[in-house]
Amino acid sequence: SIENENYSQAVEDIQLCIKKVKSLPKDSRIIAEAHYQLGVAQGFHAKFDEAVGSLNSAISIIKERMKNIKAGSKKWPSKEEMTEITELEALVPEIEEKIADTKDMKKEAEAKTKEEATTHLATGKRHLLVSDFPAAVTSLAQACELLSAHYGETAKECAESYFYYGKSLLELSRMESGVLGNALEGVPEEGDDADNSSKIEDPAKMTEYEKQEVEEKVGEAMEKNFQSLCERKDEEKDVTEDEDMEGGDSQEEVDDYQDDAMDKDVSMVREPSNLQLAWEILELAKIVYTKQVESGEGIKIEIEERLCSTILTLGEVSIENENYSQAVEDIQLCIKKVKSLPKDSRIIAEAHYQLGVAQGFHAKYDMAVGSLKSNKYDVAVGSLKSAICIIKMRMKRIKADAKSSKKSEITELEALIPEIEEKIADTKDMKKEAEAKTKEGANGITSSSTEGNSKNVSS
């Protein structure tokens, strides 16, 4: 299997060999040979640490065998024993050389994996920047796969790829939702224009003669259908009897087909959506960054900012998923964690904006379940206004700093303010609509109560 480059099979076969030679002496040459070949196979299979362990085991067994040969001789080893000791001594440097080669292979593999993953990460970020979300998801998924397989799922090397992969999945989900919304635009809802589009004549407008004629035609059609059904059942019965005589293979084929269809249905049901996958990947990024913050690895302010960006994006996922209470909770946690950052940081402004959006929708949800808290709209407006204040503070600082390299950022920030103001206006409109609906509901309850009382009095 090693010569055939089927390294996984080679590892499996040699491990089985080692299990089966337990009855042999522990210093048996075949056991040493098995550990050596296992190390070689593991090295080619990219299990470098395991390979080094197996090769070291081979050396230990050989040294143990030489020691036992020397100890077993009463005076001086025999010619045959001396020959074996010489052979064994020559094997040790060869295996040590193989260990060194394996370590070099590990370094080369790490460099190659890192280079390939870095390329995929950079490509994915570039695709994300130009809003090519499907391509971004593909590249970043490959980066995550390479890094997690090499370093481990919760390794710090994976965090950045997880974050951008989760963000790309979120944007892809938004894009797909937008495409679906555009596709359904203009399609009438069920029941719209039903009366106008009906091609069936109103029975109330038919004459007695027309009704009698229709009844006769319907009766004839039903009788023909009944006869046809009886004939078909007889034919099916004859075919079934013939099949039973020939054998039950057909039924087995049908059962197999149904089982396959059910398996496919189950696999389709279990396939997570892009939004669900985004949440899972971002949660992984959050775990990794949290571990880094707690252990004090890296530059603290940078890691904290990345952690906050991840939590904020999780909040955005919850907004898309219409889980507004969770979104509010996540984003408020993000705002608490960014206290160490400059007060005019863009991520803080973004957090307040997203918090305002989530609070606005959350108040709308409360209205839907009949427990409107209209002050939540005011809180939402407050969060959005905070975002504007932070942006203005940032622009002021950049303008005051003559040496600042962020002068071009001012144009971006100025363009954000009208968008946030528009969102504030929308939130205020949502509040008015909610209050109007609440008032209408209260009036409806009052009027129905009054009618009920008047009926009781009259009775």
Side-chain angles (χ1 to χ4, degrees), residues 83-258:
T83 302
E84 185 177 2
I85 288 171
T86 304
E87 289 175 5
L88 293 172
E89 285 175 342
L91 288 174
V92 173
E94 291 180 18
I95 301 173
E96 287 174 341
E97 186 178 349
K98 178 60 72 174
I99 290 172
D101 291 343
T102 304
K103 290 179 178 179
D104 290 339
M105 286 167 64
K106 180 183 178 182
K107 289 177 183 177
E108 288 174 12
E110 282 180 348
K112 186 178 178 182
T113 300
K114 192 172 182 180
E115 183 183 355
E116 195 176 345
T118 304
T119 302
H120 283 304
L121 176 59
T123 304
K125 288 165 74 173
R126 187 164 59 250
H127 286 313
L128 181 60
L129 188 64
V130 297
S131 300
D132 188 356
F133 305 126
V137 165
T138 302
S139 294
L140 292 163
Q142 289 173 315
C144 291
E145 186 179 350
L146 286 167
L147 292 169
S148 61
H150 191 75
Y151 294 106
E153 197 174 59
T154 57
K156 63 182 180 181
E157 290 84 359
C158 301
E160 186 180 9
S161 293
Y162 286 155
F163 171 71
Y164 283 106
Y165 181 34
K167 196 170 181 64
S168 297
L169 285 164
L170 170 61
E171 295 300 338
L172 181 60
S173 177
R174 284 170 171 166
M175 185 185 78
E176 289 172 345
S177 299
V179 169
L180 181 62
N182 292 336
L184 295 175
E185 191 174 347
V187 178
E189 293 183 6
E190 187 178 353
D192 287 358
D193 301 328
D195 295 336
N196 296 334
S197 62
S198 178
K199 295 181 180 179
I200 301 171
E201 189 177 356
D202 188 354
K205 296 179 181 179
M206 295 171 68
T207 64
E208 288 297 324
Y209 174 76
E210 288 172 338
K211 287 180 182 179
Q212 188 176 357
E213 189 178 5
V214 168
E215 285 176 4
E216 289 175 359
K217 287 181 179 179
V218 169
E220 289 174 4
M222 288 180 67
E223 189 175 349
K224 284 181 181 178
N225 284 337
F226 179 73
Q227 290 175 355
S228 176
L229 183 62
C230 290
E231 290 172 2
R232 196 180 303 162
K233 280 190 174 182
D234 291 337
E235 289 173 3
E236 288 176 357
K237 186 177 179 182
D238 294 338
V239 171
T240 305
E241 288 174 356
D242 292 340
E243 287 178 351
D244 289 341
M245 292 179 70
E246 290 174 5
D249 292 343
S250 60
Q251 184 58 41
E252 291 178 5
E253 289 175 4
V254 170
D255 292 341
D256 291 341
Y257 175 79
Q258 289 175 344

Side-chain angles (χ1 to χ4, degrees), residues 195-434:
D195 295 336
N196 296 334
S197 62
S198 178
K199 295 181 180 179
I200 301 171
E201 189 177 356
D202 188 354
K205 296 179 181 179
M206 295 171 68
T207 64
E208 288 297 324
Y209 174 76
E210 288 172 338
K211 287 180 182 179
Q212 188 176 357
E213 189 178 5
V214 168
E215 285 176 4
E216 289 175 359
K217 287 181 179 179
V218 169
E220 289 174 4
M222 288 180 67
E223 189 175 349
K224 284 181 181 178
N225 284 337
F226 179 73
Q227 290 175 355
S228 176
L229 183 62
C230 290
E231 290 172 2
R232 196 180 303 162
K233 280 190 174 182
D234 291 337
E235 289 173 3
E236 288 176 357
K237 186 177 179 182
D238 294 338
V239 171
T240 305
E241 288 174 356
D242 292 340
E243 287 178 351
D244 289 341
M245 292 179 70
E246 290 174 5
D249 292 343
S250 60
Q251 184 58 41
E252 291 178 5
E253 289 175 4
V254 170
D255 292 341
D256 291 341
Y257 175 79
Q258 289 175 344
D259 290 341
D260 291 342
M262 287 178 69
D263 290 340
K264 287 178 182 177
D265 289 342
V266 169
S267 65
M268 287 175 69
V269 169
R270 289 178 181 172
E271 190 72 25
S273 66
N274 287 325
L275 206 57
Q276 175 64 24
L277 192 55
W279 185 84
E280 291 173 4
I281 296 297
L282 288 165
E283 275 292 327
L284 265 176
K286 179 183 170 184
I287 290 167
V288 177
Y289 282 133
T290 302
K291 279 171 63 179
Q292 282 186 267
V293 170
E294 290 173 353
S295 63
E297 293 181 48
I299 302 170
K300 185 180 178 182
I301 193 166
E302 287 183 6
I303 303 300
E304 284 182 347
E305 187 172 357
R306 290 173 188 173
L307 174 60
C308 293
S309 296
T310 304
I311 296 170
L312 178 58
T313 311
L314 277 167
E316 291 182 56
V317 171
S318 295
I319 291 173
E320 288 297 314
N321 210 26
E322 297 183 8
N323 188 354
Y324 303 121
S325 58
Q326 183 63 51
V328 170
E329 185 180 328
D330 285 340
I331 300 168
Q332 284 176 335
L333 175 63
C334 169
I335 291 171
K336 284 180 183 177
K337 286 186 176 290
V338 293
K339 287 181 179 178
S340 59
L341 300 180
K343 291 182 179 180
D344 63 351
S345 174
R346 285 189 72 162
I347 190 174
I348 299 177
E350 175 69 15
H352 279 89
Y353 171 78
Q354 293 294 347
L355 179 60
V357 172
Q359 287 167 330
F361 283 124
H362 191 32
K364 189 176 180 181
Y365 172 79
D366 286 338
M367 176 202 69
V369 297
S371 59
L372 174 65
K373 298 178 182 178
S374 59
N375 66 314
K376 282 189 178 179
Y377 288 107
D378 298 328
V379 173
V381 169
S383 297
L384 294 167
K385 285 182 177 178
S386 295
I388 291 176
C389 289
I390 295 165
I391 289 171
K392 287 181 176 178
M393 191 192 309
R394 185 173 181 82
M395 286 194 298
K396 185 179 178 182
R397 183 177 63 80
I398 293 172
K399 288 176 181 177
D401 186 0
K403 297 180 181 179
S404 177
S405 59
K406 298 180 179 179
K407 296 288 183 181
S408 59
E409 188 182 349
I410 294 174
T411 308
E412 293 177 22
L413 295 172
E414 285 175 341
L416 289 173
I417 292 173
E419 291 180 18
I420 302 173
E421 288 173 341
E422 187 178 348
K423 178 60 72 174
I424 290 172
D426 291 343
T427 306
K428 288 179 178 178
D429 290 339
M430 285 166 65
K431 179 184 177 182
K432 287 177 184 177
E433 288 174 13

